[in-house]
Amino acid sequence: MNAPVALDAMGGDHAPRETVAGALAAAAAGVPVVLVGDEARLREELAAQGGELPIVHAPEVIDMHAHATEVRRRRQASINVAMRLVKEGEAEAAVSMGHSGATMASALFTLGRVRGIERPAILAEIPSQAPSGRVHLIDAGANADVRPAHLVQFARMGAAYAERMSGVARPRVGLLSIGEEPTKGNQLVLEAHPLLAEAGLHFVGNVEGRDVLADAADVIVTDGFTGNVVLKLAEGEAKILFGWIKEALASSFKAKLGALLAKDALRRLAARMDPAEYGAMPLLGVRGPAFIGHGASDRRAVRNALARAHKMARSGLVEALAAVE
Amino acid sequence: MNAPVALDAMGGDHAPRETVAGALAAAAAGVPVVLVGDEARLREELAAQGGELPIVHAPEVIDMHAHATEVRRRRQASINVAMRLVKEGEAEAAVSMGHSGATMASALFTLGRVRGIERPAILAEIPSQAPSGRVHLIDAGANADVRPAHLVQFARMGAAYAERMSGVARPRVGLLSIGEEPTKGNQLVLEAHPLLAEAGLHFVGNVEGRDVLADAADVIVTDGFTGNVVLKLAEGEAKILFGWIKEALASSFKAKLGALLAKDALRRLAARMDPAEYGAMPLLGVRGPAFIGHGASDRRAVRNALARAHKMARSGLVEALAAVE
């Protein structure tokens, strides 16, 4: 089966220019891609960029200010058409840099949930000191309020992803809390701890904020409120610290000269910390690979997201999750 | 009135060496200090360091592994003696680098709560792009589960602290959430938002994880679970990023040479990001300035904490909080 990855080519702040450019780059790297969106507009963009890709026409688009409830009503919106292609086996995965809430809603009602998963969750990969070079944070924002049993489901999905997508054998699962002892945490964490200990996972207990980027766990489980704050803080702090480093390096002639010499090394590090490195985040627990990217995504993020979605489709992860229960 | 700051000289991983050294440094800078702890042991340490300071004897110490409930029973523990000095007007403030839970418990039952404050909260200052150079995060860990009304009390205390301690006129208060719109957040945040909007503060609405270190607010209000995760992540990430920068700068001869030239500029930045810069965090809402520091505090952190406690005692902050309701 060689179904392509469906890209919601109209989604995102810089669509369709960056989505098309990213899709062409992914296709050049061997990822099969189909563009979903306004056909005339996409043909025009492809011609301007001197490339060719298959297109599935979708006359509508859910813009960034739309209410997520519009998703159900607007059947011909590009995100819905992309998800339907996955549902019908015409695409192996869907990727959107558009409205996150709309993408989640579309994935949920078009693809449906994996059996045994009550709450699909977003998994974020954050560069860390773990051997795989990243920590897998779940839930990064899909569910603001959850119950202890949901955290166990998140843990299962996160561990399966770390294993199949990042090649981590027997991933260490940590529960995000405010102290290492099982007696530390809020009510949710206190109740989830014993459930996680008995879930048959490689549970390493509570981890703290300072452990997120350290080599304490491969998978960190938390509610979608805390997870979203953690993800955005981790990204925002890296950006601000690099800004301060730039300022510091411009503060004297000697420092400037040093900065010039160290430029390549620092640039590689900044690229590693750039969210575009991962491109987009999977919504785990729906029946098909669905990836949600930053609205601000550039072509590099789009290309990396498409490659990741393709990899997940071939990893058998969705089927593995369905087989758990 | 020239009551000194009472330092729990036996508290912390490196006590009494670092506590005594920090106290001597603070005293040399004009901060009146009294050491609280085992008198013979402290005399010995003072002699070894060639300094002199007043001592109030306290025969016991609450070690880092003690249960917080031991605090009430062990009346002669150094932390309890320090708090009693504040309560009785013999000290203007108390500082401890020991067991955080014990320090909180001791402050609560010895000093009591300020009228109108149901839940005292920990305020953390984190370096940020705000004009004052820092953001004031409250609660940073005292209350893992809170009600919406508690967040309003935290906001009041945080704003008063930012105004009197950091010189921020009309501090901008943000509510930590997972989207800017008032409709985004978990149940707690959704209910707290309208209460904060009507609290007579300069409320700027929701702020996200990416805004914590940006110039979005002077005070960020959150529950003690999220706040503690944020604080520890912010500190941990800075440490890990600086480590990666060091590695990057050692990766080639050219980069190494650059690093040598840029060393001073980078060192100043690393010092700014070091939690020792603030020294310790105040527990706001108890009747007297009480500061809680990292167990790992070195002399610089101890000195800075004592200076901060002295400043808070003279700021009239506790009295101002009591006058609010």
Side-chain angles (χ1 to χ4, degrees):
Chain A
M1 194 183 87
N2 280 312
V5 179
L7 174 65
D8 171 12
M10 308 307 284
D13 306 343
H14 310 301
R17 193 190 66 229
E18 295 300 308
T19 47
V20 167
L24 287 170
V31 177
V33 182
V34 57
L35 302 178
V36 181
D38 183 272
E39 187 166 1
R41 185 76 193 77
L42 291 174
R43 285 228 176 286
E44 200 181 306
E45 188 61 42
L46 278 168
Q49 297 191 24
E52 272 187 47
L53 282 173
I55 298 173
V56 168
H57 181 60
E60 291 189 86
V61 61
I62 309 271
D63 75 34
M64 297 304 261
H65 305 288
H67 198 273
T69 51
E70 280 188 41
V71 177
R72 243 179 210 281
R73 208 163 37 76
R74 295 170 62 183
R75 304 254 314 150
Q76 296 310 311
S78 53
I79 183 63
N80 285 333
V81 173
M83 291 294 169
R84 276 207 297 280
L85 290 175
V86 177
K87 165 99 173 160
E88 290 158 6
E90 301 295 319
E92 60 177 5
V95 172
S96 178
M97 306 304 182
H99 191 305
S100 309
T103 305
M104 269 191 283
S106 180
L108 262 167
F109 90 79
T110 309
L111 303 177
R113 286 176 288 132
V114 165
R115 200 158 45 98
I117 303 296
E118 291 169 277
R119 299 279 197 95
I122 293 174
L123 181 140
E125 297 174 65
I126 306 177
S128 89
Q129 294 180 320
S132 69
R134 71 201 68 181
V135 63
H136 304 80
L137 179 77
I138 183 169
D139 175 14
N143 309 280
D145 289 288
V146 304
R147 293 199 308 271
H150 298 145
L151 293 184
V152 178
Q153 295 164 17
F154 298 170
R156 288 222 167 88
M157 297 193 287
Y161 186 96
E163 214 170 324
R164 286 178 181 252
M165 288 290 286
S166 307
V168 182
R170 224 172 146 249
R172 294 163 299 168
V173 175
L175 175 61
L176 189 58
S177 188
I178 58 174
E180 286 173 11
E181 308 88 336
T183 55
K184 294 282 176 71
N186 57 13
Q187 206 51 43
L188 172 69
V189 161
L190 294 177
E191 289 176 30
H193 196 283
L195 301 181
L196 281 162
E198 288 169 11
L201 296 161
H202 182 14
F203 180 53
V204 296
N206 287 354
V207 297
E208 300 186 72
R210 69 167 62 92
D211 302 319
V212 173
L213 274 67
D215 183 19
D218 302 298
V219 177
I220 293 183
V221 175
T222 189
D223 64 274
F225 182 87
T226 311
N228 188 267
V229 168
V230 162
L231 171 66
K232 287 177 179 165
L233 171 58
E235 288 179 4
E237 178 164 351
K239 218 167 147 185
I240 286 172
L241 282 182
F242 278 111
W244 283 343
I245 286 164
K246 262 190 201 161
E247 274 175 42
L249 292 178
S251 64
S252 73
F253 176 72
K254 215 175 82 176
K256 263 185 219 164
L257 188 63
L260 204 66
L261 291 165
K263 199 169 64 176
D264 293 343
L266 290 175
R267 192 180 283 161
R268 273 194 301 275
L269 181 57
R272 183 180 168 198
M273 295 308 297
D274 185 349
E277 184 68 23
Y278 293 96
M281 302 180 290
L283 178 69
L284 298 181
V286 292
R287 281 186 288 178
F291 281 73
I292 301 168
H294 274 268
S297 291
D298 60 8
R299 57 193 67 192
R300 184 169 153 248
V302 173
R303 184 199 58 200
N304 292 343
L306 290 166
R308 211 160 209 83
H310 180 54
K311 185 176 175 184
M312 181 167 153
R314 297 175 148 232
S315 72
L317 179 60
V318 173
E319 296 75 10
L321 289 175
V324 164
E325 271 220 344
Chain B
M1 195 181 86
N2 280 312
V5 178
L7 174 65
D8 171 11
M10 309 306 285
D13 306 343
H14 310 302
R17 193 190 65 229
E18 295 299 308
T19 47
V20 166
L24 288 170
V31 178
V33 182
V34 57
L35 302 178
V36 180
D38 183 272
E39 187 165 2
R41 186 77 193 78
L42 291 174
R43 286 228 176 284
E44 200 180 305
E45 189 60 43
L46 278 168
Q49 297 192 24
E52 272 188 48
L53 283 172
I55 298 173
V56 169
H57 181 60
E60 292 188 86
V61 61
I62 309 270
D63 76 34
M64 298 304 261
H65 305 289
H67 198 272
T69 52
E70 282 188 39
V71 177
R72 245 179 208 280
R73 208 163 36 75
R74 295 170 62 182
R75 304 253 314 149
Q76 296 310 312
S78 52
I79 184 63
N80 285 333
V81 174
M83 291 295 169
R84 276 206 297 281
L85 291 174
V86 177
K87 164 98 172 164
E88 290 159 7
E90 301 295 319
E92 60 176 5
V95 172
S96 177
M97 306 303 182
H99 191 305
S100 310
T103 304
M104 270 191 282
S106 180
L108 263 168
F109 89 79
T110 310
L111 302 177
R113 285 176 288 130
V114 165
R115 198 157 47 96
I117 303 296
E118 291 169 276
R119 298 281 196 93
I122 293 174
L123 182 140
E125 296 175 65
I126 306 177
S128 90
Q129 294 181 319
S132 68
R134 70 202 69 181
V135 63
H136 304 79
L137 179 77
I138 182 167
D139 176 15
N143 309 281
D145 290 288
V146 303
R147 293 200 308 274
H150 298 145
L151 293 184
V152 178
Q153 294 164 18
F154 298 169
R156 287 223 167 87
M157 296 193 287
Y161 186 96
E163 215 171 323
R164 287 180 180 251
M165 288 289 288
S166 306
V168 182
R170 224 174 147 248
R172 294 163 300 168
V173 175
L175 175 61
L176 189 58
S177 189
I178 58 174
E180 287 174 12
E181 308 88 336
T183 54
K184 294 281 176 70
N186 58 13
Q187 207 50 44
L188 173 68
V189 161
L190 295 177
E191 289 177 29
H193 195 283
L195 301 181
L196 281 163
E198 289 170 10
L201 296 161
H202 183 14
F203 180 53
V204 296
N206 287 354
V207 296
E208 299 186 72
R210 69 168 61 93
D211 302 319
V212 172
L213 274 67
D215 183 19
D218 302 298
V219 177
I220 293 182
V221 175
T222 189
D223 64 274
F225 182 86
T226 312
N228 189 266
V229 168
V230 162
L231 172 65
K232 288 176 179 165
L233 171 59
E235 288 180 3
E237 177 164 352
K239 218 167 147 184
I240 285 172
L241 281 183
F242 278 111
W244 283 343
I245 287 164
K246 262 191 200 160
E247 274 175 42
L249 293 179
S251 64
S252 73
F253 176 72
K254 214 175 82 174
K256 262 184 221 164
L257 189 63
L260 204 66
L261 290 165
K263 199 169 63 175
D264 294 342
L266 290 174
R267 192 180 286 162
R268 272 194 302 274
L269 182 58
R272 183 181 168 196
M273 296 308 296
D274 185 349
E277 184 67 22
Y278 294 96
M281 302 180 291
L283 179 69
L284 298 181
V286 292
R287 281 187 287 178
F291 280 74
I292 300 169
H294 274 269
S297 291
D298 60 8
R299 56 194 66 193
R300 183 168 153 248
V302 173
R303 184 199 58 198
N304 292 344
L306 290 166
R308 211 160 210 83
H310 181 54
K311 185 176 174 184
M312 181 167 153
R314 298 176 147 230
S315 72
L317 179 60
V318 173
E319 296 75 10
L321 289 175
V324 164
E325 270 220 344

